[in-house]
């Protein structure tokens, strides 16, 4: 039996803000569960050694007693909420402890105040946004008055606004209330400015532990060693250090700003800059999907989309960006025929979507949903891949040919007889994409395919999509991950409150900072870096490096 | 509001049916509301006279009017009510004789639809109908229409009165009320968690259905077997997801001291105002009155339409 954690010796002091990072499967979640006594008391398993939390040995105290010292927030907020309203949720813990009503009221007020949720007190939990749901869970944990808060990948399914909300809340709790924060995350780009200490885990062992800038001094640590995505600022810092222009890696843009004047004087800026050329595979100018003055309103009258005019051409690789509630998923649903327009028209390969069944349109448009769990319904992966072609009317031989092809392409041959529900999230998404591609659509729409996954998975998925794109498949990715869009998109569509506010080359779109901010999105970090250095708008660090030093960056 | 910014699918608003109005009836203690159900339901069950039932039903409608429930909210319940009333009526009209008629009680036959002798001339269906109707056949009779009307009214009373409680009381308050009336906390907690997850599961159902459609599945084209398989596939997905959820939820609740030996206290308190207390007493008196009514007029006459 492989040990999930090996020889962990870790000391965290009161008031620390610690980041625990590592690749998937390194044991971060197991460590979190050990810190609360859930391992070994509730989840069993064999545990050697001791875990002492707030002077309590986790073996000798009841879980509910340890719970009053340390709170644990899991990844998916939805599944941790058991009450109907925010208020009830915050009161749940103290109620269980048998506190007096006055005490409960005090704690609820404190918890909601600390997380900025006081105004949302009477709201139903299912009506909250992602960031609000997470803050509700944090509030529910806070009302137990713990000294330590452990959060297991809280940002994985949040958009930039949600991430900011949660991180600011954590900072406030740490600085104002003195609560020790242990944050387990791999979204380093957003997180790196906050924690003072970092613990790196790999294969169940601690490979590094110390102050943040010390731990990340080596440029190989993040990407090569751990397989995580290095924050843009850090990547640029490494490049500068390599050329002797900087001594210590900068963890945030502000930190880099400080050393900038000295750096700038030693840089030789090129006279002209060519931004990388877009490969625009317009095989024909006949649009695959055309939306004309498209409007969509819900049955109660709220308008979701207004006057959308959009064309998607064969062979394109485009990214649809926008914050929560912008209408991205609604637009994608309309483009695939799942929803029918309330006004205007959507033509899919010449067919009016309102007149055709979703299944008929599936020949042209493939669609993967945000939640992979809802798209897998067969008993084995092989059946799953065969589902689409079978229903499209392919012969048995053709179905088998396609299934084998997909198994090979997505590297999931070893899973072919497994039940899809037993796979990890990343593997499920791979199966979902494969099962849609097996129908050989002309355009593939993916709704937030990168949520909750680590960098290696995201890279391999996007690489595969690029490959299919080069073979003629049009790809539309809905995401709020700006850096992915900056790295891979040839065309970006920016949405805000039901309107398309920008459509074109990512360099142009991302430079419109006001537009980006009003759409609740962050500008790519590289954009700010390139401004700082004195270059025209570059959207990836790779471009900046290429412009400054002409290094050959392989476009992934 | 009940929209999902994450999913951008505004399908399940107002799922809890609770209509927020400031009527005085809304403000009643949930225990009193639940108590109100007792005499209404007792009469609905025991009474067989269509006139009595009509009176009770009108009372329920009057309560609705006083609660200022807007007209558009009636759509769902009217549809259900209408459909079921028609079903009961039709069923009673033709099948009362075969299912319910007690030999010796009055029977006014208007037309024979299916005599027992006809069973042989109709290949498979004939014997089945004969077996189902206890060998009596299908007959259109006055008592059948009466039975259909009476049963429809009973159902409508139960439907509308139950629905009123849900429409005028917040879910948490209903559960608290039940708690105070003696239902164990663990049970009401289970009910509350279930309520909380209903919108989620419904949305998953919708998404899974669409996911199947997006992969070429046309539900209308399917034969029974294929349809059953498809439904089972969706259900197993939903169940698998729910089990996954339950695991995480259980752990999350442990970290919030659920199941500790301390006595669980309720954050919200239910306080009975003077109006509530007066009403409660009135209702208790009404219950006694109803029981007396039933015992005098209905109980001694097991069939018949005396009450």
């Amino acid at each position: 039996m492989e040990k999930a954690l090996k020889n962990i010796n870790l000391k965290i002091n009161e008031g620390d803000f610690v980041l625990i990072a590592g690749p998937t499967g390194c044991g971060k979640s197991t460590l979190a569960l050990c810190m609360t006594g859930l391992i070994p008391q509730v989840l069993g398993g064999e545990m050697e050694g001791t875990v002492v939390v707030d002077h309590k040995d986790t073996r000798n105290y009841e879980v509910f007693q340890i719970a009053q010292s340390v709170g644990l927030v899991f990844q998916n907020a939805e599944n941790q909420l058991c009450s109907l309203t925010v208020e009830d949720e915050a009161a749940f813990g103290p109620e269980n402890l048998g506190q007096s009503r006055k005490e409960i009221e005090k704690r609820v007020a404190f918890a909601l105040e600390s997380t900025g949720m006081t105004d949302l007190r009477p709201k139903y939990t299912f009506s909250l946004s992602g960031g609000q749901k997470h803050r509700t869970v944090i509030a529910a944990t806070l009302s137990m008055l713990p000294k330590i808060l452990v959060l297991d990948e809280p940002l994985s399914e949040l958009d930039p606004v949600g991430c900011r909300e949660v991180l600011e809340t954590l900072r406030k709790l740490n600085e104002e209330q003195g609560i020790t924060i242990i944050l387990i995350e791999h979204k380093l780009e957003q997180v790196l400015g906050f924690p003072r200490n970092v613990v790196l885990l790999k294969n169940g062992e601690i490979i590094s532990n110390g102050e943040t800038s010390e731990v990340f001094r080596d440029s190989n640590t993040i990407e090569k060693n751990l397989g995580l995505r290095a924050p843009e600022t850090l990547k640029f810092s490494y490049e500068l250090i390599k050329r002797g222009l900087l001594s210590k890696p900068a963890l945030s843009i502000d930190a880099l700003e400080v050393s900038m004047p000295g750096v700038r004087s030693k840089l030789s800026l090129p006279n002209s800059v060519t931004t990388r050329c877009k490969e625009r595979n317009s095989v024909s100018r006949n649009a695959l999907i055309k939306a004309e003055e498209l409007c969509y309103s819900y049955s109660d009258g709220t308008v979701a989309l207004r006057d959308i005019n959009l064309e998607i051409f064969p062979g394109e690789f485009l990214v649809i960006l926008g914050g929560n509630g912008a209408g991205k998923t609604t637009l994608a649903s309309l483009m695939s025929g799942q929803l029918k327009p309330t006004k205007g028209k959507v033509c899919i390969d010449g067919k009016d979507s309102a007149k055709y069944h979703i299944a008929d349109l599936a020949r042209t448009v493939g669609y993967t949903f945000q939640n992979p769990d809802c798209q897998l319904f067969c008993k084995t992966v092989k059946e799953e891949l065969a589902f689409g072609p079978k229903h499209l009317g392919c012969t048995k031989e053709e179905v088998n040919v396609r299934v084998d092809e997909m198994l090979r392409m997505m590297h999931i041959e070893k899973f072919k007889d497994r039940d899809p529900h037993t796979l990890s999230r990343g593997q499920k998404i791979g199966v979902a994409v494969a099962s849609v591609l097996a129908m050989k659509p002309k355009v593939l729409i993916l709704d937030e395919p990168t949520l909750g996954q680590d960098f290696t998975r995201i890279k391999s998925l996007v690489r595969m999509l690029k490959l299919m794109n080069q073979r003629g498949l049009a790809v539309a990715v809905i995401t709020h991950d700006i850096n992915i869009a900056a790295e891979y998109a040839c065309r970006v569509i920016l949405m805000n409150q039901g309107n398309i506010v920008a459509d074109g080359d990512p360099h142009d779109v991302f430079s419109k900072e006001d537009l980006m901010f009003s759409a609740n999105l962050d500008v790519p970090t590289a954009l700010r870096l390139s401004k700082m250095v004195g270059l025209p708008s570059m959207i990836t660090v790779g471009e900046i490096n290429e412009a400054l030093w002409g290094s050959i960056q392989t476009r992934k | 509001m009940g929209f999902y910014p994450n999913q951008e699918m505004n399908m399940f608003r107002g799922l809890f049916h609770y209509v927020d109005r400031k009527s005085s009836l809304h403000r009643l203690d949930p225990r009193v509301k639940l108590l109100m159900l007792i005499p209404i339901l007792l009469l609905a069950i025991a009474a067989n006279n269509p006139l009595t039932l009509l009176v009770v039903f009108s009372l329920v409608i009057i309560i609705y009017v006083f609660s200022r429930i807007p007209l558009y909210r009636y759509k769902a319940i009217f549809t259900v009510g209408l459909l079921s009333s028609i079903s009961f009526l039709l069923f009673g009209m033709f099948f009362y004789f075969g299912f319910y008629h007690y030999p010796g009680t009055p029977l006014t036959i208007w037309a024979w639809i299916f005599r027992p002798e006809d069973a042989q001339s109709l290949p498979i269906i004939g014997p089945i109908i004969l077996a189902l109707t206890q060998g009596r056949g299908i007959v259109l009779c006055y008592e059948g229409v009466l039975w259909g009307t009476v049963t429809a009214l009973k159902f409508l009373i139960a439907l509308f009165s139950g629905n009123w409680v849900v429409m005028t009381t917040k879910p948490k308050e209903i559960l608290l009320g039940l708690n105070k009336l003696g239902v164990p906390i663990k049970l009401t907690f289970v009910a509350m968690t279930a309520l909380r997850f209903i919108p989620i599961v419904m949305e998953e159902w919708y998404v899974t259905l669409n996911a199947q459609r997006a992969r070429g599945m046309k539900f209308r084209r399917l034969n029974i077997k294929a349809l059953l398989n498809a439904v089972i596939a969706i259900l197993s997905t939903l169940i698998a997801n729910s089990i996954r959820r339950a695991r995480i939820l259980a752990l999350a609740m442990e970290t919030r001291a659920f199941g500790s030996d301390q006595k669980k206290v309720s954050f919200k308190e239910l306080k009975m105002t003077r109006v509530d207390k007066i009403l409660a007493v009135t209702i208790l008196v009404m219950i006694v009155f109803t029981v007396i009514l039933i015992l005098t007029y209905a109980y001694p006459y097991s069939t018949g339409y005396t009450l």
Side-chain angles (χ1 to χ4, degrees):
Chain A
M1 250 291 131
E2 174 79 33
K3 291 197 192 163
L5 292 172
K6 303 167 198 159
N7 199 20
I8 303 283
N9 287 302
L10 185 57
K11 214 170 127 187
I12 297 177
N13 297 317
E14 191 173 350
D16 277 353
F17 193 141
V18 180
L19 170 70
I20 300 182
T24 325
C26 67
K28 324 189 277 284
S29 303
T30 316
L31 187 57
L33 292 168
C34 288
M35 288 185 200
T36 54
L38 287 172
I39 293 177
Q41 294 196 33
V42 175
L43 292 171
E46 275 177 40
M47 184 170 101
E48 291 166 22
T50 54
V51 179
V52 180
V53 177
D54 193 23
H55 310 293
K56 298 174 190 161
D57 186 321
T58 58
R59 272 191 241 259
N60 302 337
Y61 283 80
E62 296 279 356
V63 171
F64 75 86
Q65 289 169 316
I66 306 174
Q68 297 181 61
S69 299
V70 53
L72 177 54
V73 174
F74 297 85
Q75 199 166 346
N76 186 329
E78 189 83 72
N79 298 343
Q80 299 172 69
L81 300 169
C82 58
S83 310
L84 295 164
T85 61
V86 170
E87 188 178 37
D88 292 335
E89 194 71 42
F92 186 69
E95 275 179 1
N96 289 334
L97 292 175
Q99 306 280 336
S100 69
R101 278 202 192 92
K102 243 175 88 182
E103 180 66 26
I104 297 180
E105 172 60 49
K106 248 176 60 187
R107 291 187 183 207
V108 167
F110 159 70
L112 294 179
E113 179 71 44
S114 311
T115 50
M117 298 285 292
T118 325
D119 292 332
L120 298 170
R121 194 162 155 149
K123 287 214 121 189
Y124 280 119
T125 44
F126 66 78
S127 69
L128 301 171
S129 74
Q132 289 167 341
K133 279 192 195 132
H134 242 104
R135 278 155 56 202
T136 309
V137 179
I138 296 178
T141 326
L142 278 181
S143 59
M144 303 280 288
L145 297 182
K147 297 198 187 136
I148 308 157
L149 199 56
V150 181
L151 300 104
D152 190 353
E153 299 199 25
L155 309 179
S156 64
E157 295 186 6
L158 296 180
D159 71 338
V161 173
C163 288
R164 243 182 280 136
E165 282 177 11
V166 172
L167 287 171
E168 274 308 318
T169 309
L170 293 178
R171 187 215 290 275
K172 257 179 54 184
L173 289 172
N174 181 248
E175 288 177 5
E176 289 172 21
Q177 318 269 5
I179 297 181
T180 314
I181 306 278
I182 303 173
L183 178 61
I184 301 171
E185 251 309 328
H186 54 66
K187 267 192 175 180
L188 298 178
E189 180 85 48
Q190 275 99 330
V191 162
L192 220 49
F194 294 82
R196 295 185 284 276
N197 294 328
V198 176
V199 176
L200 294 181
L201 278 181
K202 189 173 174 186
N203 284 336
E205 296 184 280
I206 296 184
I207 57 173
S208 189
N209 181 359
E211 214 213 307
T212 322
S213 47
E214 278 307 310
V215 170
F216 289 133
R217 184 173 276 274
D218 184 0
S219 63
N220 284 327
T221 317
I222 301 185
E223 293 207 347
K224 294 222 179 77
N225 210 350
L226 295 175
L228 299 176
R229 193 198 309 188
E232 305 281 277
T233 322
L234 216 53
K235 272 208 287 222
F236 191 50
S237 307
Y238 291 145
E239 204 61 38
L240 293 173
I241 293 176
K242 214 162 73 176
R243 294 160 201 277
L245 297 166
L246 199 66
S247 55
K248 217 171 79 150
L251 295 174
S252 65
I253 285 205
D254 303 317
L256 194 57
E257 183 84 51
V258 171
S259 359
M260 250 304 125
V263 174
R264 225 176 292 156
S265 58
K266 301 194 193 113
L267 281 177
S268 49
L269 294 176
N271 291 333
S272 65
V273 171
T274 47
T275 52
R276 60 170 193 222
C277 46
K278 300 283 146 223
E279 27 189 80
R280 248 193 113 153
N281 269 355
S282 23
V283 172
S284 74
R285 293 311 285 182
N286 287 329
L288 268 178
I289 302 182
K290 187 167 174 176
E292 284 174 60
E293 285 169 37
L294 176 64
C295 297
Y296 187 78
S297 313
Y298 296 121
S299 45
D300 66 348
T302 20
V303 179
L305 294 177
R306 293 165 230 268
D307 287 322
I308 304 279
N309 287 299
L310 176 63
E311 284 180 310
I312 297 184
F313 297 100
E316 283 202 287
F317 194 111
L318 66 95
V319 174
I320 302 177
L321 284 171
N324 267 340
K328 317 185 289 288
T329 307
T330 316
L331 180 60
S333 305
L334 284 157
M335 290 201 295
S336 59
Q338 285 167 47
L339 293 175
K340 310 293 181 196
T342 43
K343 252 196 268 171
K345 202 159 81 146
V346 174
C347 281
I348 298 175
D349 208 12
K351 303 185 189 132
D352 186 349
S353 77
K355 303 203 176 100
Y356 286 84
H357 192 281
I358 305 172
D360 295 319
L361 298 167
R363 278 176 209 278
T364 317
V365 183
Y367 189 100
T368 56
F369 295 75
Q370 208 166 333
N371 186 355
D373 291 325
C374 291
Q375 311 176 71
L376 303 171
F377 26 74
C378 295
K379 296 207 194 71
T380 64
V381 168
K382 220 166 151 195
E383 265 180 55
E384 197 71 55
L385 298 181
F387 190 91
K390 224 171 38 173
H391 283 272
L392 286 185
C394 296
T395 60
K396 243 183 161 180
E397 299 85 47
E398 175 69 23
V399 170
N400 286 333
V401 163
R402 292 196 188 187
V403 169
D404 289 330
E405 190 184 332
M406 278 301 129
L407 285 170
R408 254 182 297 121
M409 185 174 312
M410 304 289 294
H411 308 296
I412 44 176
E413 279 127 321
K414 49 189 158 130
F415 298 136
K416 70 174 184 204
D417 291 315
R418 274 179 66 174
D419 186 322
H421 283 289
T422 59
L423 302 174
S424 76
R425 191 191 164 104
Q427 291 159 346
K428 276 188 203 146
I429 293 183
V431 172
V433 174
S435 58
V436 172
L437 287 178
M439 297 194 294
K440 296 214 195 282
K442 295 189 187 149
V443 51
L444 176 62
I445 304 178
L446 301 104
D447 193 350
E448 302 270 13
T450 61
L451 273 189
Q453 294 186 78
D454 67 3
F455 193 38
T456 10
R457 278 247 159 240
I458 295 178
K459 264 203 296 203
S460 62
L461 180 67
V462 184
R463 231 176 251 149
M464 195 272 312
L465 290 174
K466 273 289 180 183
L467 193 67
M468 297 296 296
N469 179 243
Q470 275 156 15
R471 291 195 195 163
L473 176 72
V475 177
V477 180
I478 302 174
T479 184
H480 49 65
D481 189 333
I482 291 288
N483 291 320
I484 290 281
E487 190 84 44
Y488 298 106
C490 299
R491 176 184 171 196
V492 165
I493 294 174
L494 185 62
M495 291 191 72
N496 190 7
Q497 293 187 324
N499 290 318
I500 292 184
V501 294
D503 181 353
D505 187 293
H507 293 90
D508 301 325
V509 176
F510 290 156
S511 331
K512 300 189 175 119
E513 291 191 37
D514 295 328
L515 216 58
M516 297 285 286
F517 283 137
S518 68
N520 286 334
L521 291 172
D522 278 330
V523 179
T525 326
L527 201 69
R528 293 210 206 107
L529 289 173
S530 62
K531 274 220 185 107
M532 226 168 30
V533 169
L535 286 169
S537 325
M538 317 242 116
I539 53 178
T540 65
V541 172
E543 284 180 357
I544 298 179
N545 292 338
E546 196 170 333
L548 288 177
W549 299 295
S551 48
I552 302 166
Q553 297 283 326
T554 41
R555 264 255 279 146
K556 291 167 222 158
Chain B
M1 281 276 269
F3 77 104
Y4 302 88
N6 283 342
Q7 298 297 326
E8 295 169 274
M9 265 180 214
N10 200 350
M11 314 228 63
F12 304 110
R13 296 191 64 210
L15 197 69
F16 294 137
H17 233 51
Y18 171 63
V19 182
D20 202 5
R21 289 282 180 283
K22 299 276 184 271
S23 78
S24 42
L25 284 169
H26 270 74
R27 275 182 261 125
L28 288 177
D29 190 296
R31 285 168 288 183
V32 173
K33 290 187 204 165
L34 289 169
L35 222 59
M36 254 161 66
L37 282 180
I38 296 184
I40 296 178
L41 290 176
L42 272 178
L43 267 181
I45 296 173
N48 278 319
N49 191 325
L51 229 60
T52 326
L53 291 172
L54 214 58
V55 167
V56 177
F57 185 57
S58 329
L59 276 169
V60 176
I61 297 291
I62 292 175
I63 296 178
Y64 266 78
V65 169
F66 271 107
S67 310
R68 295 196 226 141
I69 304 222
L71 271 174
Y72 74 84
R73 276 298 187 157
Y74 286 84
K75 195 173 105 171
I77 203 168
F78 266 178
T79 331
V80 175
L82 198 67
L83 283 174
S84 36
S85 307
I86 295 178
S87 318
F88 280 123
L89 205 61
L90 285 174
F91 183 79
M93 264 179 15
F94 297 108
F95 289 95
Y96 167 76
F97 180 51
F99 278 77
Y100 292 107
H101 177 73
Y102 197 73
T105 57
L107 184 71
T108 332
I109 297 181
W110 289 336
W112 270 98
I113 310 289
F114 181 89
R115 296 164 201 274
E117 309 88 66
D118 298 333
Q120 290 117 359
S121 45
L122 221 56
I124 308 170
I125 318 169
I128 295 181
I129 297 181
L130 203 65
L132 283 174
T133 58
Q134 300 176 85
R136 296 179 190 171
I138 303 177
V139 138
L140 180 62
C141 60
Y142 165 73
E143 283 74 17
V145 173
L146 201 61
W147 180 91
T149 321
V150 162
T151 318
L153 276 171
K154 291 190 191 207
F155 180 75
L156 284 175
I157 293 173
L159 179 70
F160 274 73
S161 51
N163 182 63
W164 175 80
V165 176
V166 176
M167 263 195 179
T168 58
T169 329
K170 294 200 183 109
K172 181 90 198 256
E173 286 173 7
I174 299 182
L175 292 171
L176 262 177
L178 284 173
N179 261 343
K180 297 280 168 138
L181 288 175
V183 177
I185 287 197
K186 289 243 162 103
L187 212 65
T188 54
F189 173 76
V190 167
M192 185 172 73
T193 314
L195 272 181
R196 178 243 162 322
F197 278 105
I198 286 177
I200 314 270
V201 179
M202 288 192 70
E203 194 181 318
E204 267 199 0
W205 166 266
Y206 173 79
V207 174
T208 314
L209 214 65
N210 253 1
Q212 291 209 336
R213 288 200 188 108
R215 290 222 246 130
M217 168 82 95
K218 282 193 191 175
F219 286 99
R220 269 170 252 167
R221 288 265 190 87
L222 295 175
N223 54 22
I224 299 287
K225 178 166 176 261
L227 191 66
L228 210 66
N229 277 336
V231 171
I232 290 178
I234 300 179
L235 280 177
S236 42
T237 309
L238 290 181
I239 292 176
N241 289 344
S242 299
I243 294 179
R244 214 178 278 127
R245 265 197 201 102
R247 260 197 79 231
I248 308 256
L249 189 62
L251 288 180
M253 279 159 45
E254 287 266 4
T255 65
R256 287 187 265 149
F258 186 77
S260 74
D261 293 325
Q262 323 276 5
K263 183 171 190 294
K264 188 166 155 88
V265 169
S266 231
F267 171 45
K268 282 293 167 68
E269 221 182 9
L270 283 182
K271 270 209 281 253
M272 299 242 263
T273 59
R274 259 190 48 197
V275 178
D276 287 320
K277 293 191 187 146
I278 297 173
L279 256 171
V281 171
T282 321
I283 294 174
L284 284 170
V285 168
M286 275 176 64
I287 293 180
V288 173
F289 177 64
T290 314
V291 171
I292 296 177
L293 208 68
I294 294 175
L295 288 176
T296 332
Y297 287 102
Y299 182 65
Y301 315 90
S302 51
T303 57
Y305 303 93
T306 45
L307 178 63

